[in-house]
Amino acid sequence: MQQRRFRVLALAIAILGIPLIAGCFSTSLPATPESDSVSRLVTAAEVQVPFYFAPPHADERRGYQYLLVGLPFSAVYTPHLSSLVKYNLTVQAGLHRYGLVEPTTTQGMQVPRLVATVKDASVNAYDFIFFRRPVASVTLSGTYYSQRGKVQECEVTGRHGDYKVFAFDRELMYALEKAAEDAATKLIECLGLDQNLA
């Protein structure tokens, strides 16, 4: 009977203590290298579009690495999320013949233009003892203002999940990259940049 009470007490301490421990350990996902060919893609585009991007908070917690499915052990941070999303949006727009460029003037917002922001992002790793599951999602919102006066607004979510033997920073970063790519692809298509230029 006393042994059973000890086990219950130990389990209670573990359940209550792990969330506190999660505040002590953290994982910051690294930046990913960007291809040099993206600048050529922008230069070769038929339409150059000023791109206004509202970056997310770099120090915001985006998820956890979990032990035994539901016990959070390590908080996950994505300090390079902004550059990852901007890169993917630039690539996807370039594939649709639009070159996203930094605005050249501060006197009013130019037309055509694309305004985008990260509404939400999450990265988690779930432990299933014999395998782990890294899962990421990125929600983007964007507004495209064309020269013809048309305004198109969209909000999309990109997701990626996988099953791995391990799921640490490299696997979490891969999941985030794929989710960001999926979200950028959906946003550019939703905004209609693949239908008509300018």
Side-chain angles (χ1 to χ4, degrees):
M1 187 72 172
Q2 190 169 356
Q3 188 176 13
R4 183 178 175 186
R5 286 182 184 170
F6 176 76
R7 286 180 181 171
V8 171
L9 180 61
L11 181 61
I13 290 172
I15 291 172
L16 295 174
I18 291 290
L20 296 176
I21 292 173
C24 301
F25 298 100
S26 65
T27 301
S28 289
L29 300 185
T32 53
E34 299 179 358
S35 172
D36 295 335
S37 61
V38 175
S39 59
R40 294 195 296 272
L41 191 64
V42 172
T43 304
E46 293 184 34
V47 177
Q48 303 294 309
V49 179
F51 178 41
Y52 299 84
F53 183 72
H57 294 293
D59 58 349
E60 188 173 337
R61 186 184 66 238
R62 297 296 177 183
Y64 288 101
Q65 294 194 65
Y66 290 92
L67 292 176
L68 303 175
V69 183
L71 300 176
F73 180 73
S74 174
V76 178
Y77 294 87
T78 57
H80 306 286
L81 178 60
S82 179
S83 58
L84 176 64
V85 170
K86 286 173 66 176
Y87 174 78
N88 277 283
L89 284 171
T90 302
V91 169
Q92 293 305 317
L95 294 175
H96 291 90
R97 301 176 293 168
Y98 283 78
L100 300 186
V101 295
E102 294 293 325
T104 56
T105 179
T106 57
Q107 296 182 353
M109 299 182 85
Q110 302 172 53
V111 175
R113 68 177 179 269
L114 175 62
V115 181
T117 187
V118 177
K119 297 287 286 185
D120 191 32
S122 66
V123 190
N124 294 286
Y126 300 94
D127 180 25
F128 293 93
I129 301 177
F130 297 109
F131 62 90
R132 303 192 83 207
R133 181 163 171 75
V135 178
S137 71
V138 175
T139 299
L140 304 178
S141 68
T143 306
Y144 176 65
Y145 301 82
S146 75
Q147 285 182 334
R148 300 184 180 96
K150 181 181 178 182
V151 178
Q152 180 72 24
E153 295 181 276
C154 294
E155 184 172 308
V156 300
T157 299
R159 294 182 176 87
H160 183 80
D162 212 344
Y163 294 94
K164 300 285 186 181
V165 176
F166 302 104
F168 300 107
D169 57 348
R170 182 184 298 178
E171 292 78 14
L172 289 172
M173 193 63 225
Y174 179 77
L176 182 62
E177 288 170 356
K178 299 304 287 183
E181 180 182 346
D182 184 32
T185 301
K186 290 177 178 176
L187 184 62
I188 295 301
E189 290 176 353
C190 180
L191 291 173
L193 270 65
D194 57 344
Q195 295 173 9
N196 45 59
L197 296 175

